[in-house]
Amino acid sequence: MLQIEIDGKALEVEHGSTIIDAADKVGIVIPRFCYHKKLSVAANCRMCLVQVENFNKPLPACATPVAEGMKIFTRSKATVEAQQSVMEFLLINHPLDCPICDQGGECDLQDIAMAYGASGSRYTEEKRVVVNKNIGPLISTDMTRCIQCTRCVRFLQEIGGMQELGVVGRSEHAEITAYVDKSVNSELSGNIIDLCPVGALTSKPFRYSARSWELTRRPSIAPHDGLGSHIEVHVKDNKVMRVLPREKESINQCWLSDRDRFSYEGLNSPDRLKVPMIKHKGAWVETDWKTALEFAAGQLRDITNQHGSDALGVLVSPNSTMEEGYLAKKIAEGLNCGNIDYRLRQTDFRLDGKRLGTPWMGCNIQEIEELDRILLIGSNIRNEHPLLAQRFRKAVQNGAELSIVSPLDNNPLMDIAHKVIVRPNDMVNVLGQILKAMSGLQRLSLCLPPALTNLLEEIKVRPNTQAMAESLAGHGKTYDLIAPKVGIFIGNMALSDPRFTELYSMAEAIGGISGAKGGILPAAANSTGMHMIGVMPNGTGMHARAMLEIPRKAYLLLNIEPELDCQHAALAKAAMEKAECVVALTSFKSPALDNADILLPIAPFTETSGTFMSMEGRVQSFATAVKPLGECRPAWKVLRVLANTLGLQGFDFETSEEVKDRLFEGEKPSAVVWRSLNNNLKELVEIQVNIKHDGLQRIGEVPQNESDPIVRRAASLQKTKYNIRPMARMRAEQIAALGLVDGDIVLAKQDKGSAVLKVKLDNHVAMGCVRVAASHELTTGLGDLMGDITLEKTTDTSYKPYDTVIMEARG
């Protein structure tokens, strides 16, 4: 520790701290523009100049490390004059357009100008004007306001992983720009809006819609992935105007993914369902809540009485709250129905009953940055968890070695030490090679079950998997580690794979030998919570896939669009068509629910209260941010009244907090959670390492901006590069092997369904695979996300421009 003095105050600070760190620690304000605690030091704005004893000129507080006995003056005449001079230079070319600037009211330049700026300008020459840049549908630019602090440049390079903005020119000709004809495509790009200290970068969807002082700020939790990011919902006239991050160092730090930031547009979509509706003679008719609930309860009661409780299927979105999932489960139990599931995009359920507890990510989010070795299995981490990816990026920057086993060779924007890109069916074999190599390195083959040891004897370890095993064992490219911190994580593509159980078993065996932390990285906001409270079939019930393969007479849908949210789109559509009654609790009226019979309007996350449980097992509750739109009601209330209408007992809840207390049986949530979380298996399942397969295998990845009903309706997100028309994407060798060329039109067939697609060259796809996006209107005729698929060249004239298809599908 070092002893220093700031403005006469004696302080003790850590060695290596800068002056600005020491001042912030004790609440002494030093003005700054370019400095940010999460970015590297640039020291180019010079606003933080301070006087230091024994130095003949002011020093930048952000770039000057403290020294023993240093005396710093932040209010001296020399300091104030230096800061005022810098302020004058910064304002020389700055436009006087504060009245129309979206940054007004929360602008650092405004605030600091009030304290350090002059009442008038001595500059009488012509001001420079900088041409605005079009950097995409999310960020609006007014570059004449830019003061070249370079926060945006550093963020995209250091946090985003790729330098998409840079500085060109010198002196007063310097300006921030993107590469020629390029937009900013980072999935974290919206954070540069928050970082910009002036109004040069503002939100394009929010532009000119409200002033900052008109907004009411309400805390909430992001509902689109398992990270559980803390957000702040800004409201005006009972309408969500924008969403910003709330700082939470252990989760999202001070960042937010674009999906969480801009998805609020979907809340105000024209598709919003505002009143209950019943289908009468093939047409939708608006009705009141009493009639709708009585009709729904009557239909469900009649079908279960006539055909048995097994005739009902309950499908729950993993983005629903724990309270909603709990009540849906209680309704199923009250009707003696075991057919309930939240695992809509899963096809392999052989692990049911074989786990010791609730599967989770296996470590805290912060611990990822401390790992020495990382193995990602079946994950496109930037697409699935955009904000979690930057934690892995930080770990790699700190020296961790990243290994990837996946059917996609997408760039994670971080250094990859080892990778094996194979078709999904072959991932089990690759993990078997790693396991065999590691058991030899660690001399622990006797610790493996005999059946697994015998299985590994027929596997041949290849050089790339041997290198991967050596890395996980601590043997590095530059130095070795005796006891490396290893993390093994299973992604969404593996979760959707027909061989997920075998992948999971192999990953656990590798983790057992390497002493690794890790687990699964679920896609949805509440997957871990749904599993913990048991929103799954009982011993005799049917899982989600079985409910679609063997259609039920009636379905109760909670917050899902079956064709877009289920593993097998064509099966889901057919099952809904065959059902006698489909009751859908939904926030939106869409073509995907055309086969429903009753639509009950429920409130999205901003209009209800509830609880999510993140992938790390963190239980986080949130309150209502705005009043429900129209006749919408919170889903937990709708489920409660539906249960009462059905004549079920035990649904006398007045608030969501009462539901939560019943859910956790009055205990502290963290105590219940930590008793439940456990990734270990009771026993290893039967594993087949080598499966011969000569046909094409589909990789049905769910694009991040198509992941749930709200995101699918966020207009600005749909304009980004991540909203790409589904195509038959293959590597060059695969296209040639099929006798096709880039741009051909093909008929893709899966099971009994089909889709007309254009062939697109994509060398990121494994040989033997075709990448066809899921959760999209154009691919709802296809089957399993990771199933077999055939392609036939066609001259089908039904292939239409993308905009035409979407307009027709969405009316």
Side-chain angles (χ1 to χ4, degrees):
M1 302 296 286
L2 301 174
Q3 303 295 326
I4 66 169
E5 190 178 290
I6 301 181
D7 294 339
K9 286 185 179 180
L11 303 176
E12 192 175 63
V13 298
E14 294 181 3
H15 183 79
S17 298
T18 61
I19 294 175
I20 207 166
D21 292 334
D24 288 346
K25 183 179 177 182
V26 295
I28 296 174
V29 177
I30 297 178
R32 80 287 303 268
F33 291 116
C34 67
Y35 173 79
H36 190 277
K37 62 184 178 181
K38 292 295 183 183
L39 304 177
S40 62
V41 174
N44 54 6
C45 77
R46 316 309 282 184
M47 194 64 220
C48 65
L49 290 175
V50 294
Q51 182 183 1
V52 179
E53 188 178 64
N54 297 326
F55 284 83
N56 59 6
K57 63 179 182 179
L59 301 179
C62 65
T64 305
V66 296
E68 182 66 33
M70 179 180 279
K71 292 185 179 181
I72 302 139
F73 306 95
T74 69
R75 296 290 182 270
S76 67
K77 182 180 179 181
T79 297
V80 172
E81 286 179 351
Q83 292 170 345
Q84 288 177 340
S85 296
V86 171
M87 195 72 224
E88 184 176 20
F89 276 111
L90 289 175
L91 292 174
I92 277 177
N93 284 308
H94 199 82
L96 295 174
D97 60 352
C98 295
I100 64 161
C101 179
D102 270 344
Q103 194 78 355
E106 50 190 11
C107 176
D108 292 348
L109 190 69
Q110 274 186 339
D111 297 339
I112 295 174
M114 290 295 292
Y116 300 93
S119 59
S121 175
R122 296 183 291 170
Y123 187 76
T124 57
E125 286 77 10
E126 184 178 342
K127 293 191 175 189
R128 78 164 188 164
V129 176
V130 181
V131 177
N132 293 333
K133 315 296 188 297
N134 182 7
I135 59 175
L138 304 179
I139 302 169
S140 181
T141 62
D142 290 276
M143 301 312 293
T144 303
R145 300 172 184 161
C146 179
I147 59 171
Q148 289 86 50
C149 71
T150 70
R151 280 185 180 182
C152 56
V153 176
R154 284 174 285 144
F155 172 84
L156 291 170
Q157 184 172 12
E158 298 166 14
I159 308 298
M162 180 168 59
Q163 187 174 0
E164 296 183 279
L165 293 177
V167 183
V168 297
R170 298 181 64 188
S171 185
E172 73 163 5
H173 302 294
E175 61 179 274
I176 304 290
T177 185
Y179 293 102
V180 179
D181 296 328
K182 296 288 184 180
S183 60
V184 174
N185 293 315
S186 171
E187 59 278 6
L188 305 177
S189 65
N191 291 287
I192 66 177
I193 297 170
D194 301 334
L195 286 172
C196 185
V198 295
L201 303 174
T202 54
S203 170
K204 191 170 282 188
F206 176 72
R207 191 169 176 86
Y208 300 145
S209 61
R211 305 298 288 182
S212 63
W213 54 84
E214 299 173 327
L215 303 173
T216 303
R217 292 157 172 80
R218 306 270 168 74
S220 191
I221 303 298
H224 303 301
D225 62 32
L227 191 67
S229 297
H230 284 216
I231 61 174
E232 192 172 75
V233 180
H234 289 195
V235 178
K236 179 185 177 184
D237 297 333
N238 201 49
K239 181 180 179 181
V240 177
M241 305 303 295
R242 66 177 178 181
V243 171
L244 298 182
R246 274 191 301 137
E247 187 166 350
K248 184 67 174 178
E249 183 62 29
S250 59
I251 302 177
N252 56 300
Q253 298 173 308
C254 53
W255 313 125
L256 198 61
S257 69
D258 288 350
R259 177 170 58 185
D260 290 331
R261 181 184 297 270
F262 296 106
S263 64
Y264 73 88
E265 287 186 294
L267 301 171
N268 305 315
S269 164
D271 288 351
R272 278 296 300 272
L273 181 66
K274 300 177 185 178
V275 293
M277 303 186 82
I278 295 175
K279 187 175 288 183
H280 180 66
K281 295 182 179 180
W284 288 110
V285 179
E286 295 183 359
T287 187
D288 58 80
W289 270 106
K290 186 174 185 295
T291 303
L293 288 168
E294 288 178 349
F295 183 64
Q299 290 288 302
L300 295 177
R301 192 186 300 111
D302 290 347
I303 289 173
T304 52
N305 288 340
Q306 181 179 353
H307 301 284
S309 58
D310 191 50
L312 173 65
V314 183
L315 298 175
V316 180
S317 166
N319 285 317
S320 298
T321 66
M322 296 182 76
E323 291 85 353
E324 294 162 3
Y326 174 76
L327 292 176
K329 174 190 172 186
K330 293 288 288 182
I331 288 176
E333 290 175 349
L335 295 172
N336 295 316
C337 174
N339 306 331
I340 182 171
D341 210 343
Y342 74 94
R343 299 164 297 175
L344 308 179
R345 291 191 176 121
Q346 192 169 321
T347 189
D348 182 1
F349 298 89
R350 286 175 288 164
L351 284 181
D352 284 4
K354 293 185 170 62
R355 289 192 180 97
L356 292 174
T358 299
W360 62 304
M361 72 179 293
C363 66
N364 292 328
I365 293 168
Q366 282 183 302
E367 292 182 80
I368 290 175
E369 296 183 11
E370 302 168 4
L371 295 174
D372 301 309
R373 301 290 186 268
I374 300 168
L375 174 61
L376 287 180
I377 302 169
S379 175
N380 181 0
I381 191 68
R382 286 178 57 201
N383 178 69
E384 297 164 10
H385 299 284
L387 204 51
L388 189 64
Q390 71 92 12
R391 293 278 190 176
F392 286 104
R393 197 170 295 124
K394 186 68 176 294
V396 172
Q397 291 170 357
N398 291 339
E401 289 189 4
L402 173 65
S403 299
I404 291 177
V405 177
S406 174
L408 294 180
D409 190 16
N410 284 68
N411 183 5
L413 299 182
M414 61 189 100
D415 293 334
I416 303 173
H418 310 283
K419 63 182 176 182
V420 179
I421 308 301
V422 294
R423 40 191 300 134
N425 271 337
D426 295 330
M427 288 198 294
V428 175
N429 184 283
V430 171
L431 295 182
Q433 294 179 44
I434 296 171
L435 179 59
K436 182 174 183 178
M438 286 206 69
S439 62
L441 289 168
Q442 304 283 32
R443 300 180 182 178
L444 291 173
S445 56
L446 295 178
C447 295
L448 295 174
L452 187 55
T453 302
N454 296 335
L455 185 69
L456 296 181
E457 289 180 0
E458 60 186 83
I459 293 178
K460 179 181 178 182
V461 179
R462 301 184 183 277
N464 53 357
T465 50
Q466 178 69 34
M468 198 174 288
E470 290 176 357
S471 173
L472 294 175
H475 304 299
K477 293 183 177 180
T478 55
Y479 57 90
D480 292 348
L481 296 172
I482 297 175
K485 296 178 181 178
V486 181
I488 300 176
F489 302 97
I490 300 174
N492 293 346
M493 286 185 287
L495 284 166
S496 299
D497 196 280
R499 305 187 70 191
F500 163 64
T501 295
E502 293 160 89
L503 291 170
Y504 189 98
S505 298
M506 281 294 193
E508 182 175 346
I510 295 170
I513 287 182
S514 61
K517 295 181 177 182
I520 63 172
L521 303 178
N526 201 30
S527 296
T528 308
M530 289 293 183
H531 197 288
M532 192 196 77
I533 62 178
V535 185
M536 294 179 294
N538 59 24
T540 58
M542 304 171 76
H543 51 67
R545 177 58 179 262
M547 283 186 251
L548 301 179
E549 288 180 332
I550 309 172
R552 304 292 85 200
K553 296 290 184 180
Y555 288 96
L556 178 61
L557 309 180
L558 178 55
N559 200 25
I560 73 167
E561 297 175 311
E563 301 169 26
L564 303 175
D565 292 323
C566 290
Q567 161 77 228
H568 196 302
L571 268 183
K573 184 176 182 179
M576 299 304 129
E577 288 174 346
K578 293 176 183 177
E580 294 180 12
C581 177
V582 177
V583 180
L585 281 69
T586 176
S587 299
F588 303 97
K589 185 176 183 292
S590 75
L593 291 170
D594 280 348
N595 293 311
D597 298 283
I598 306 161
L599 298 180
L600 302 178
I602 59 172
F605 77 103
T606 52
E607 300 169 18
T608 186
S609 56
T611 303
F612 290 143
M613 182 172 163
S614 71
M615 66 174 78
E616 65 170 348
R618 191 184 295 260
V619 177
Q620 303 183 115
S621 295
F622 55 93
T624 302
V626 295
K627 295 178 182 178
L629 185 66
E631 293 296 314
C632 288
R633 296 292 181 268
W636 70 266
K637 285 188 177 181
V638 177
L639 290 167
R640 180 201 66 188
V641 179
L642 178 62
N644 292 332
T645 309
L646 284 164
L648 304 179
Q649 301 299 313
F651 288 84
D652 52 344
F653 306 106
E654 294 296 327
T655 65
S656 63
E657 287 77 12
E658 290 182 16
V659 183
K660 179 183 175 183
D661 289 341
R662 180 78 61 84
L663 190 159
F664 289 105
E665 299 179 345
E667 286 193 70
K668 190 176 180 180
S670 58
V672 177
V673 168
W674 290 115
R675 282 202 308 269
S676 172
L677 298 180
N678 194 330
N679 285 320
N680 296 329
L681 297 177
K682 298 175 184 177
E683 59 185 18
L684 290 175
V685 299
E686 182 179 348
I687 298 173
Q688 291 180 286
V689 176
N690 296 309
I691 291 183
K692 293 183 179 180
H693 186 81
D694 299 325
L696 273 179
Q697 191 169 1
R698 178 189 177 189
I699 303 173
E701 186 181 31
V702 178
Q704 60 179 280
N705 293 337
E706 299 284 347
S707 59
D708 62 61
I710 296 176
V711 175
R712 286 193 282 267
R713 290 167 174 82
S716 296
L717 289 177
Q718 298 306 310
K719 297 175 185 176
T720 66
K721 79 158 196 170
Y722 296 102
N723 187 44
I724 302 172
R725 177 192 180 112
M727 299 182 184
R729 297 174 175 273
M730 296 172 283
R731 64 186 309 109
E733 300 91 332
Q734 186 66 60
I735 293 175
L738 294 173
L740 302 170
V741 296
D742 187 17
D744 277 351
I745 307 300
V746 294
L747 181 66
K749 293 183 179 179
Q750 271 191 293
D751 297 337
K752 298 179 182 179
S754 63
V756 179
L757 304 169
K758 180 185 284 189
V759 173
K760 179 69 175 177
L761 175 65
D762 187 348
N763 286 321
H764 298 110
V765 183
M767 191 66 183
C769 298
V770 54
R771 185 179 188 176
V772 181
S775 297
H776 202 285
E777 289 91 341
L778 292 177
T779 55
T780 54
L782 297 179
D784 284 324
L785 302 184
M786 299 289 171
D788 296 340
I789 190 170
T790 61
L791 300 180
E792 300 174 6
K793 188 173 180 179
T794 182
T795 56
D796 194 328
T797 57
S798 66
Y799 186 84
K800 302 176 183 178
Y802 174 62
D803 292 342
T804 302
V805 174
I806 296 305
M807 288 177 66
E808 290 177 355
R810 296 181 178 173

